[in-house]
Amino acid sequence: KQWYQRRVRERMRERIMDPGTLVRGCEELVNLTVKIRAQVAECSISIILAAMRHHIMSEPVQEAGCVTLANVCYHHRSLHALIVMQGGVRHIQLAMRSHVSNDLVQRAACGAIANLALRYDDIRKQCVSDGVLKNIINAMSAHKEEVEVQEQGCCALCYMATNQPEI
């Protein structure tokens, strides 16, 4: 499985300008995330963030990137800080601001924020200071009829408010 994941990462690096390859690569990484070790998932974070950075206007790349980050956070708690240090919160926020009308991007981004904020007070505080609450509220306001955006947004808000009396 490690060799396959390594090959997926290599293909994503080689074809960083091809949104289709990046979306398929993120989907494959999501499927592998549960089965791989944290150190292997760690290698994928920079590629996912690079894909999101290079294709900020591609809704499928942004959605796939957020879904993959959410899954990495959920299955590998040790990688939360690394994702934040490499600018993951900023990339998620850019995806939310660049694709306000896309419910799939908003749902995936709220899910990624929820999983990032789930366990660590320092990450919650950074998310609050970075203005993530406004992004979540905007997503929920823009997609009032989309149940999954509402659910993921509520989870994210709930986790962000944990141990944060000023919220």
Side-chain angles (χ1 to χ4, degrees), residues 28-43:
E28 290 176 35
L29 291 173
V30 166
N31 292 332
L32 291 169
T33 300
V34 180
K35 303 169 189 162
I36 59 177
R37 293 194 319 250
Q39 64 190 150
V40 178
E42 181 179 335
C43 299

Side-chain angles (χ1 to χ4, degrees), residues 1-3 5-6 9 29 36-45 76 79:
K1 290 181 172 86
Q2 284 184 350
W3 68 266
Q5 204 237 11
R6 191 174 315 125
R9 289 192 323 262
L29 291 173
I36 59 177
R37 293 194 319 250
Q39 64 190 150
V40 178
E42 181 179 335
C43 299
S44 304
I45 293 169
H76 301 288
L79 298 179

Side-chain angles (χ1 to χ4, degrees), residues 51-112:
M52 291 176 75
R53 183 174 52 253
H54 285 295
H55 299 282
I56 188 63
M57 297 314 297
S58 171
E59 292 173 344
V61 171
Q62 297 305 309
E63 178 194 2
C66 288
V67 167
T68 307
L69 290 173
N71 277 284
V72 167
C73 287
Y74 183 79
H75 294 289
H76 301 288
R77 296 176 192 163
S78 61
L79 298 179
H80 289 191
L82 181 64
I83 290 170
V84 172
M85 285 180 3
Q86 290 190 11
V89 174
R90 184 172 30 88
H91 284 78
I92 295 166
Q93 285 182 290
L94 283 171
M96 294 178 89
R97 286 194 296 258
S98 299
H99 304 286
V100 175
S101 63
N102 186 303
D103 63 304
L104 300 175
V105 172
Q106 299 301 316
R107 180 193 65 199
C110 286

Side-chain angles (χ1 to χ4, degrees), residues 5-22:
Q5 204 237 11
R6 191 174 315 125
R7 180 65 193 125
V8 169
R9 289 192 323 262
E10 288 170 6
R11 194 170 59 240
M12 289 175 74
R13 256 191 227 106
E14 291 166 2
R15 299 183 184 147
I16 194 76
M17 300 311 288
D18 177 18
T21 298
L22 297 172

